[in-house]
C-alpha cells in the first residue's frame, strides 16, 4: 500500500479567473497567455515561491500518476492564503487527476488555508502589471492605498475562512464520501461498528464541527479520520488554533484572532480535545487491526537536529522561527496517546524527527519538503505492516514549463534598473536550467535579501564574510601547524559558501549533500573539532565555534531520504 504526501504546495492559479472582474492578468510574450503572477522580487524575499510552484505541482502529480499511486495526502498550505480563485483552480486540477487516474486526495488545513477562522478581507500589493511594476489586487475598495495607481478589486482575493474552504474542498476528505469504509470527526458519536454514510455526512457539516477555543469564542475544527482502503486509517489533524486577541471583543470579528503559525504549541492549551481524540482513534485502530497514519500541517518533534540551543546562542531565541519548534510536551502527549507515525509540512524542509521514550515507545515525525522551496519534492509511504514502513523522498528536478514566465521577469528587472532600486535581485536566476536549480538560486537570494539582514548579528556577518576557508582553518587551529597542501584545499571556498551550505542542510537535510562537494563535509568536521578544542574568550571565535557546531549537527541528522521504520525493533534503517 503506497501513499504520497505533498506538503506546502502554496498553489496560486496563474491562469485563473476572477468572477467579478475583467482583469485576466498580463500577457506573456512567450506564450500569448494572460497570466496572474507575483513579482520575482516578492518571491525572492519570501520563504516560498509563488509562481513556478504551479508547474512543479503538475509535475509532481504527473510523477505520482506514473507510479500508479492512488492515495495522496496534502498536509496543509495547498493554497497561498485560500483565496476563492486559487481554491477553484486547485479543485479543478485535483478533480482532473481523480477522474483520469482514479486518485483519491485527502487534505488538512494549514496556516495559509485558512489564514483565520472566518472570511477575511485582504489582498496583495506585489502582483505584476504590464510594465513589470507592482500591481495591487484587493478584495474591497476600502483597502486601496494609492488611488493614483491602478488597483484591481475582486472579492476572489479575500482570504477564505473555514466555511468557504469546507464548501469548496469537501470532496477531498473534509466531508464523508460514499466510498469511505469509515469516516468520523472528533465530534462524532457513532463507533466504528455503527458507521453509516448518512450519519457521517451529518457529522461533516460545518455547524457540527465547532469547539470553544476560549470562553465565548466558537471556531471550527476540520479534523477527521478516514478508512479509504481496507485496513488503513488516515488521520487528518487540524492543527490550526485561532486564539482571540481580545477576549472581550466580538467572537465573529474575523480580525480578532491571532494567526496559527506557531502550530501545536497553541494546541496544548487551547485545543486539548485533539489529544483525547487521538488517543481514542489509536485505541480503536488497535481494536480493529487498522494501521493508523497521522498527518497535520505542523511538526510534532524538533526539526533542527538538536541544534536549537546553539541556534539560540548565536542568533537569539526569537530568530530562525524558533517559536515554531514544538515543546516536548506535544510529543509526550501524542506518544502517551499511542501515536507512532506522523507526517507534517509547514517548515518547507526535509527532515526526520525521532523520539524514544522510557516505556519503549517510539514517535517518528516526517517533515515533507515543499514544492515551493529548496529542494522541491514529496514523500512516498509504503505500508508493509502495522509496524513496518518504508519512506522514500522524491526530488522534483525537471519541471516542464518552469521557465515560462521568465520573459515577464526580464521586464520586471529592466523596470527595477530604471528606478535605480537598491537591493535588486540577481538576474542570473533566469539562466537556471531546471526547477531544482531555480529553487537553489531562490534560497541563495533569500539568504542574501532576507535571512542575513533579519536573523544574523551584523558585526558577526561583516567579519565572517571576509574570511576564506583557509582563514577559518588558521583561526581554528590556534598554534597548530598546517601544511600548505591543506591550506590550498580550504582556500577553495569561503564563509559565504559555508553559510549557504548551512541553509541547504537545514532545508533539505540528506538531499542537500548531493549539491555540496563531498570533501567539504570532512573540512567542516575538522573546523568544528578545532574550534571545540580552542579555549578562548574571544567573542568572534566563540561565535564561529557555535556556527560550525550548528553546521555539524545539521549535516548529521537521522535518515531522511530513503529509509525503513520498524516500530517493533524501535529502529530506522537507511536504505541509501
Amino acid at each position: 500500500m503506497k501513499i504520497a504526501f505533498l506538503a506546502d504546495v502554496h498553489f496560486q492559479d496563474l491562469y485563473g479567473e476572477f468572477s467579478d472582474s475583467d482583469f485576466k492578468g498580463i500577457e506573456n510574450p512567450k506564450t500569448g497567455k494572460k497570466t496572474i503572477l507575483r513579482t520575482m522580487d516578492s518571491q525572492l524575499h519570501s520563504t516560498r515561491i509563488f509562481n513556478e510552484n504551479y508547474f512543479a505541482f503538475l509535475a509532481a502529480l504527473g510523477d505520482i500518476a506514473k507510479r500508479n499511486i492512488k492515495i495522496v495526502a496534502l498536509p496543509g498550505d495547498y493554497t497561498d492564503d485560500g483565496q476563492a480563485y486559487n481554491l477553484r483552480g486547485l479543485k479543478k486540477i485535483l478533480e482532473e487527476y481523480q477522474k483520469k487516474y482514479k486518485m483519491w486526495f485527502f487534505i488538512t488545513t494549514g496556516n495559509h488555508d485558512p489564514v483565520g477562522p472566518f472570511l477575511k478581507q485582504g489582498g496583495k500589493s506585489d502582483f505584476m502589471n504590464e510594465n513589470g511594476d507592482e500591481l495591487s489586487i484587493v478584495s474591497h475598495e476600502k483597502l486601496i492605498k494609492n488611488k493614483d495607481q491602478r488597483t484591481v478589486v475582486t472579492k476572489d482575493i479575500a482570504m477564505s475562512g473555514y466555511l468557504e474552504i469546507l464548501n469548496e474542498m469537501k470532496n477531498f476528505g473534509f466531508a464523508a464520501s460514499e466510498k469511505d469504509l469509515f469516516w468520523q470527526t472528533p465530534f462524532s458519536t457513532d463507533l466504528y461498528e455503527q458507521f453509516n454514510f448518512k450519519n457521517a455526512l451529518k457529522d461533516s457539516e460545518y455547524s457540527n464541527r465547532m469547539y470553544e477555543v476560549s470562553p465565548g469564542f466558537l471556531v471550527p475544527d476540520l479534523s477527521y479520520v478516514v478508512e479509504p482502503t481496507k485496513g488503513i486509517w488516515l488521520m487528518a489533524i487540524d492543527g490550526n488554533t485561532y486564539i482571540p486577541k481580545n477576549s472581550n471583543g466580538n467572537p465573529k470579528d474575523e480580525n480578532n484572532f491571532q494567526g496559527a503559525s506557531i502550530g501545536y504549541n497553541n494546541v496544548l492549551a487551547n485545543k486539548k480535545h485533539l489529544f483525547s481524540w487521538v488517543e481514542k482513534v489509536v485505541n480503536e485502530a488497535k481494536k480493529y487491526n487498522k494501521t493508523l497514519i497521522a498527518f497535520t500541517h505542523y511538526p510534532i518533534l524538533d526539526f533542527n537536529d538538536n541544534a536549537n540551543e546553539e541556534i539560540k546562542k548565536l542568533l537569539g531565541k526569537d530568530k530562525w522561527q524558533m517559536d515554531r519548534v514544538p515543546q516536548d510536551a506535544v510529543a509526550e502527549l501524542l506518544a502517551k496517546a499511542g501515536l507512532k507515525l506522523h507526517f507534517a509540512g509547514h517548515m518547507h524542509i526535509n527532515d526526520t524527527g525521532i523520539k524514544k521514550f522510557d516505556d519503549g515507545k517510539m514517535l517518528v515525525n516526517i517533515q515533507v519538503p515543499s514544492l515551493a522551496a529548496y529542494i522541491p519534492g514529496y514523500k512516498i509511504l509504503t505500508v508493509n505492516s502495522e509496524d513496518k514502513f518504508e519512506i522514500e523522498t522524491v526530488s522534483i528536478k525537471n519541471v516542464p514549463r518552469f521557465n515560462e514566465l521568465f520573459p515577464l521577469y526580464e521586464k520586471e528587472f529592466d523596470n527595477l534598473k530604471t528606478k535605480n532600486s537598491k537591493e535588486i535581485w540577481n538576474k542570473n536566476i533566469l539562466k537556471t536550467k531546471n526547477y531544482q536549480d531555480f529553487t537553489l538560486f531562490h534560497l541563495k537570494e533569500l539568504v542574501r535579501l532576507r535571512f542575513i539582514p533579519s536573523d544574523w548579528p551584523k558585526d558577526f556577518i561583516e567579519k565572517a564574510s571576509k574570511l576564506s576557508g583557509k582563514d577559518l582553518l588558521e583561526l581554528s587551529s590556534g598554534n597548530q601547524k598546517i601544511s600548505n597542501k591543506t591550506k590550498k584545499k580550504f582556500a577553495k571556498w569561503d564563509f559565504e559558501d559555508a553559510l549557504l551550505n548551512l541553509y541547504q542542510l537545514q532545508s533539505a537535510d540528506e538531499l542537500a549533500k548531493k549539491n555540496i562537494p563531498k570533501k567539504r563535509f570532512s573540512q567542516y568536521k575538522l573546523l568544528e573539532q578545532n574550534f571545540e578544542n580552542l579555549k578562548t574568550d574571544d567573542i568572534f571565535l566563540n561565535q564561529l565555534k557555535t556556527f560550525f557546531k550548528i553546521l555539524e549537527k545539521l549535516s548529521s541528522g537521522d535518515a531522511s531520504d530513503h529509509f525503513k521504520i520498524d516500530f517493533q525493533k524501535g529502529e530506522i534503517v537507511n536504505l541509501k
Side-chain angles (χ1 to χ4, degrees):
M1 183 67 225
K2 291 183 188 288
I3 302 166
F5 288 84
L6 275 173
D8 298 278
V9 171
H10 286 283
F11 177 84
Q12 184 175 273
D13 198 354
L14 295 172
Y15 306 109
E17 290 188 358
F18 299 135
S19 60
D20 56 351
S21 168
D22 58 2
F23 180 74
K24 302 270 194 292
I26 58 172
E27 189 169 315
N28 186 341
K30 184 178 179 180
T31 61
K33 278 190 200 174
K34 293 276 189 179
T35 310
I36 303 170
L37 80 159
R38 311 271 284 278
T39 63
M40 175 64 84
D41 187 66
S42 66
Q43 59 182 9
L44 291 181
H45 281 84
S46 172
T47 53
R48 61 194 184 277
I49 289 162
F50 298 130
N51 303 323
E52 283 64 32
N53 45 314
Y54 174 95
F55 306 113
F57 180 49
L58 295 176
L61 288 176
D63 191 66
I64 291 166
K66 271 185 197 169
R67 294 169 189 265
N68 203 29
I69 297 170
K70 300 303 180 190
I71 296 178
V72 183
L74 281 75
D77 282 6
Y78 35 85
T79 65
D80 204 63
D81 292 349
Q83 301 96 336
Y85 84 103
N86 286 329
L87 287 169
R88 287 197 299 267
L90 179 67
K91 181 184 179 183
K92 187 181 174 188
I93 289 169
L94 297 184
E95 284 178 342
E96 282 173 6
Y97 277 82
Q98 274 186 336
K99 192 176 177 184
K100 190 173 180 181
Y101 298 104
K102 303 290 183 280
M103 280 184 186
W104 207 344
F105 295 97
F106 296 95
I107 64 181
T108 189
T109 53
N111 59 304
H112 283 273
D113 36 33
V115 172
F118 311 116
L119 180 77
K120 201 173 181 180
Q121 298 304 323
K124 306 284 182 188
S125 60
D126 55 18
F127 284 90
M128 197 190 292
N129 71 12
E130 292 85 351
N131 306 316
D133 211 340
E134 287 191 335
L135 168 75
S136 284
I137 304 181
V138 297
S139 61
H140 198 281
E141 285 180 0
K142 67 182 180 185
L143 296 172
I144 297 174
K145 286 179 182 172
N146 188 346
K147 303 222 168 169
D148 296 328
Q149 279 185 338
R150 188 192 173 195
T151 300
V152 175
V153 180
T154 169
K155 66 180 183 182
D156 289 351
I157 200 80
M159 297 173 278
S160 298
Y162 273 91
L163 180 61
E164 294 77 20
I165 285 174
L166 177 61
N167 286 341
E168 196 71 54
M169 308 301 284
K170 63 185 175 188
N171 293 335
F172 309 114
F174 279 147
S177 159
E178 285 186 277
K179 294 191 291 182
D180 298 335
L181 300 176
F182 175 61
W183 188 98
Q184 72 166 205
T185 78
F187 313 105
S188 299
T189 53
D190 285 359
L191 298 172
Y192 180 69
E193 303 101 318
Q194 300 167 313
F195 173 73
N196 73 73
F197 172 62
K198 192 177 173 184
N199 287 359
L201 206 57
K202 188 78 181 160
D203 290 341
S204 307
E205 291 174 12
Y206 179 76
S207 58
N208 293 325
R209 302 170 88 165
M210 310 296 280
Y211 74 101
E212 200 172 49
V213 69
S214 190
F217 286 82
L218 281 173
V219 293
D221 174 354
L222 292 191
S223 301
Y224 63 92
V225 61
V226 62
E227 185 174 0
T229 187
K230 195 171 171 57
I232 301 287
W233 277 13
L234 269 179
M235 182 160 58
I237 302 171
D238 175 358
N240 288 346
T241 311
Y242 295 104
I243 301 166
K245 294 175 186 174
N246 177 8
S247 56
N248 296 316
N250 181 355
K252 298 287 174 69
D253 178 4
E254 70 274 15
N255 295 310
N256 190 25
F257 289 90
Q258 296 169 22
S261 67
I262 290 172
Y264 270 106
N265 291 340
N266 277 341
V267 172
L268 284 170
N270 296 79
K271 210 173 182 179
K272 290 179 182 174
H273 70 266
L274 277 183
F275 293 105
S276 51
W277 177 63
V278 169
E279 188 170 12
K280 178 194 162 199
V281 172
V282 167
N283 290 333
E284 292 273 289
K286 277 180 191 165
K287 184 179 175 182
Y288 297 106
N289 296 315
K290 308 296 180 184
T291 301
L292 180 68
I293 299 125
F295 67 103
T296 329
H297 186 53
Y298 305 101
I300 58 172
L301 289 174
D302 167 48
F303 43 79
N304 287 323
D305 297 315
N306 297 314
N308 291 322
E309 291 313 307
E310 288 83 2
I311 292 166
K312 284 187 236 178
K313 185 179 175 184
L314 183 57
L315 306 182
K317 61 182 174 61
D318 299 324
K319 305 293 184 181
W320 197 280
Q321 304 186 81
M322 274 295 145
D323 60 346
R324 294 183 172 192
V325 177
Q327 295 170 25
D328 289 342
V330 171
E332 284 160 11
L333 280 167
L334 289 171
K336 189 183 172 190
L339 195 67
K340 293 189 294 191
L341 184 58
H342 180 274
F343 287 78
H346 192 44
M347 300 310 301
H348 300 186
I349 63 171
N350 174 55
D351 186 67
T352 305
I354 305 162
K355 194 169 178 71
K356 293 183 179 180
F357 297 87
D358 294 338
D359 59 2
K361 285 179 178 172
M362 181 171 79
L363 183 61
V364 179
N365 180 73
I366 310 289
Q367 284 298 130
V368 183
S370 169
L371 287 174
Y374 172 87
I375 285 175
Y378 69 93
K379 299 274 184 181
I380 298 172
L381 168 70
T382 304
V383 181
N384 294 319
S385 73
E386 204 177 312
D387 286 303
K388 292 180 182 176
F389 304 88
E390 186 178 326
I391 315 278
E392 185 182 356
T393 313
V394 180
S395 299
I396 300 294
K397 185 175 182 179
N398 296 307
V399 170
R401 299 167 61 195
F402 90 96
N403 57 358
E404 188 164 299
L405 309 177
F406 284 14
L408 293 169
Y409 298 137
E410 295 264 6
K411 197 181 278 191
E412 179 195 342
F413 185 84
D414 293 342
N415 178 60
L416 288 169
K417 270 185 82 178
T418 57
K419 288 162 82 174
N420 292 318
S421 296
K422 282 183 184 175
E423 285 291 352
I424 194 165
W425 47 270
N426 188 338
K427 198 180 176 184
N428 287 333
I429 193 169
L430 304 182
K431 292 178 181 174
T432 48
K433 301 295 182 194
N434 58 59
Y435 184 62
Q436 195 175 112
D437 288 351
F438 181 84
T439 61
L440 176 56
F441 211 112
H442 171 261
L443 180 64
K444 284 180 190 173
E445 286 293 85
L446 186 58
V447 170
R448 179 175 75 91
L449 297 169
R450 176 171 162 177
F451 290 154
I452 288 175
S454 69
D455 280 3
W456 291 82
K458 195 178 177 185
D459 57 341
F460 171 71
I461 288 292
E462 281 176 0
K463 285 182 188 174
S465 297
K466 294 170 184 167
L467 302 175
S468 66
K470 175 176 163 284
D471 297 329
L472 288 161
L473 178 63
E474 288 171 345
L475 284 171
S476 72
S477 299
N479 297 319
Q480 293 177 56
K481 283 193 175 180
I482 315 158
S483 71
N484 287 331
K485 188 181 177 184
T486 304
K487 284 181 184 178
K488 273 184 184 175
K489 287 177 181 175
F490 274 74
K492 291 177 182 176
W493 55 270
D494 57 30
F495 175 80
E496 288 185 352
D497 293 317
L499 183 60
L500 177 63
N501 292 165
L502 180 123
Y503 275 104
Q504 284 177 269
L505 290 162
Q506 187 246 346
S507 300
D509 206 278
E510 241 184 315
L511 303 178
K513 292 185 177 180
K514 296 167 189 173
N515 294 155
I516 300 169
K518 272 186 185 177
K519 287 179 183 174
R520 193 84 55 83
F521 290 102
S522 57
Q523 291 173 334
Y524 288 155
K525 181 71 179 168
L526 178 62
L527 287 173
E528 188 259 327
Q529 288 171 345
N530 281 355
F531 276 119
E532 193 59 43
N533 295 328
L534 192 67
K535 304 303 172 196
T536 177
D537 293 325
D538 185 283
I539 292 170
F540 179 59
L541 290 178
N542 280 316
Q543 284 176 315
L544 287 172
K545 180 190 285 192
T546 307
F547 176 88
F548 283 101
K549 176 61 80 177
I550 296 167
L551 189 49
E552 171 61 24
K553 284 191 171 186
L554 291 177
S555 65
S556 52
D558 292 299
S560 63
D561 185 358
H562 191 187
F563 54 96
K564 284 194 298 189
I565 307 171
D566 188 327
F567 283 100
Q568 270 186 338
K569 292 180 181 175
E571 66 178 20
I572 286 189
V573 179
N574 201 334
L575 296 175
K576 278 288 174 185

